[in-house]
Amino acid sequence: MDISVSPSTSNNQDNLRAALWLKEMPYIKLYQELIDKGTELLLDRLRRYRKEIHRLIDNLRDRVKVYKAMYDEDGPASSRIVGVDAGRNGTEYKFAYIPLYGAVAVLVENWSIIEEPLCVTGPPDIWTSEVDPDKRESLLHMALEYYVASKAVERWKPDYLLLDGGIVLNPRLYPGFKTSPQYEGDFYFTVITVLELLENCRKFKVPVLGFVKRTHMSFYTSYTKNPQIRDSILMNFILREGEYSEPFRVENEITQSYKAVAEDLGYSSTLPVIYSSYVKTGSMPFRVEIPLFCLDKIEELMSIVWTMAGLNGIPYPIHEADRLSRITRPTSNVHSLVLYSKALELVKRGEMELKDLDLLLLEYGESWVLNSGLDGLEGEGV
């Protein structure tokens, strides 16, 4: 039976969407300043930015060595490769932040997952006074990724290991003056975990590569008068598809921490030495990280990354690990609803009072959704 929508029904839906859009619009004068005048001013800055980019490109083109990655479906890309990723999506409640994170490792051979994925979740916890819970959750979900990667290397003895994200932690995760003692402890726990991973890879002779999807590094412009231009923008004009740049050593406060902890634990001084390069596997270059102990395998690793890249430029093992480890907002909200329903059971049994359920109210502005479509169940602050 054909189901059609009458014109009146269709118009009502259009009117409803228009009404919802108007409701979300800012004050009209604010809108004009932001959209009309604001975009014109941004275009003026963009023109100046573009000129600076091309000036730097002309200076860099002859200084940056470029290599061609080998595309070979029957080469290293067909071997046993582990892809690892971690996901996170905690929730801010009225009384505390509850983190939610997990990591997954997959073993791929000949473009297929051949073993049951390894899965590890972060321990349930309640952070009542964490200064920056999002930052701490980001740190711990990387620690979990390094941990499950290390276990995958021990269990599967793969030919190669690909991590989603850097081997060197994002510098913004370095402890600051206002970080809590718990955060500082978690930071050094994460450093120990990544060093254990590197030691396992070195011991089992597993070349490892960190694939950084979103990078703000400015290595090539750090010694110029304009260090604010990101490397990925410059490399986009220098690299062609399938090409990668000569690796350079990563040195910052994070690598200094790696070096200090490695020395305390008795590891080789070269273990935490990490090099970075840019490779263009899609519309924009990605940054990759490779430890010194397997830098001689860079041609094989770049062949894997280039050969196994999908339409979005992401290698298949990492894509699959990302797909399986992703913790979406709906998943996080199901976690919140299940927690609330179980707390309600405690109320029924007399172990909690009804007023105690206010603890599980979401922080102001925290939204929840069970369906991303227009007909989804949506709300805010409930």
Side-chain angles (χ1 to χ4, degrees), residues 18-290:
L20 290 172
W21 181 75
L22 287 171
K23 181 182 177 182
E24 295 297 324
M25 278 187 63
Y27 178 52
I28 187 64
K29 288 185 178 180
L30 182 63
Y31 181 90
Q32 290 173 342
E33 290 291 328
L34 291 172
I35 305 301
D36 298 333
K37 296 179 182 179
T39 52
E40 287 298 324
L41 293 172
L42 285 173
L43 281 175
D44 288 339
R45 295 193 63 178
L46 188 61
R47 292 188 191 100
R48 295 196 298 271
Y49 183 79
R50 176 188 175 278
K51 289 180 181 179
E52 181 65 15
I53 287 174
H54 284 277
R55 186 187 67 78
L56 288 172
I57 290 169
D58 292 337
N59 293 334
L60 283 173
R61 199 179 295 276
D62 295 331
R63 294 167 52 190
V64 178
K65 291 185 179 180
V66 174
Y67 304 90
K68 180 67 177 178
M70 177 180 60
Y71 187 95
D72 185 1
E73 294 184 359
D74 298 319
S78 64
S79 57
R80 290 164 56 88
I81 304 168
V82 166
V84 187
D85 193 13
R88 66 184 185 93
N89 211 327
T91 301
E92 187 78 63
Y93 294 88
K94 286 291 185 182
F95 82 110
Y97 186 90
I98 294 183
L100 192 68
Y101 56 102
V104 171
V106 297
L107 178 61
V108 173
E109 186 173 10
N110 289 318
W111 304 77
S112 297
I113 297 177
I114 61 172
E115 295 279 355
E116 182 72 21
L118 288 180
C119 173
V120 180
T121 59
D125 204 352
I126 294 174
W127 298 343
T128 57
S129 58
E130 182 58 45
V131 176
D132 192 342
D134 183 74
K135 180 178 176 180
R136 187 179 178 192
E137 186 181 54
S138 179
L139 174 71
L140 286 174
H141 103 294
M142 287 305 301
L144 204 64
E145 179 172 341
Y146 300 143
Y147 173 80
V148 77
S150 187
K151 293 303 176 184
V153 168
E154 291 176 355
R155 176 178 295 190
W156 291 327
K157 311 294 191 301
D159 299 308
Y160 303 94
L161 169 66
L162 302 184
L163 299 174
D164 189 334
I167 298 171
V168 178
L169 289 168
N170 190 313
R172 76 177 184 85
L173 297 178
Y174 189 80
F177 293 111
K178 295 183 179 180
T179 52
S180 65
Q182 293 82 3
Y183 183 92
E184 191 164 348
D186 289 339
F187 175 79
Y188 285 103
F189 168 75
T190 305
V191 173
I192 292 170
T193 305
V194 71
L195 290 174
E196 289 175 346
L197 167 62
L198 293 175
E199 178 63 16
N200 265 345
C201 289
R202 185 199 60 78
K203 180 172 67 176
F204 292 110
K205 295 180 171 57
V206 178
V208 54
L209 176 144
F211 191 85
V212 185
K213 298 174 186 172
R214 292 169 288 276
T215 176
H216 295 172
M217 184 176 281
S218 300
F219 171 79
Y220 291 110
T221 58
S222 58
Y223 302 106
T224 69
K225 294 181 180 179
N226 191 348
Q228 304 303 317
I229 297 178
R230 299 173 184 177
D231 291 341
S232 56
I233 299 299
L234 298 174
M235 291 297 105
N236 189 44
F237 290 94
I238 293 174
L239 299 177
R240 297 185 178 91
E241 281 198 354
E243 292 183 340
Y244 62 94
S245 62
E246 183 178 27
F248 57 88
R249 183 168 174 172
V250 180
E251 294 184 284
N252 54 34
E253 54 195 359
I254 298 291
T255 60
Q256 289 300 315
S257 296
Y258 284 18
K259 181 180 178 181
V261 175
E263 184 177 345
D264 290 342
L265 295 177
Y267 290 127
S268 166
S269 61
T270 61
L271 182 70
V273 176
I274 309 297
Y275 280 76
S276 185
S277 172
Y278 289 87
V279 57
K280 193 168 187 179
T281 58
S283 58
M284 289 288 289
F286 294 96
R287 190 170 65 82
V288 298
E289 294 179 351
I290 303 172

Side-chain angles (χ1 to χ4, degrees), residues 297-318:
K297 301 293 184 181
I298 188 171
E299 291 184 6
E300 297 172 23
L301 290 165
M302 290 300 192
S303 176
I304 291 171
V305 168
W306 172 228
T307 304
M308 304 191 81
L311 294 176
N312 56 5
I314 299 172
Y316 176 74
I318 290 179

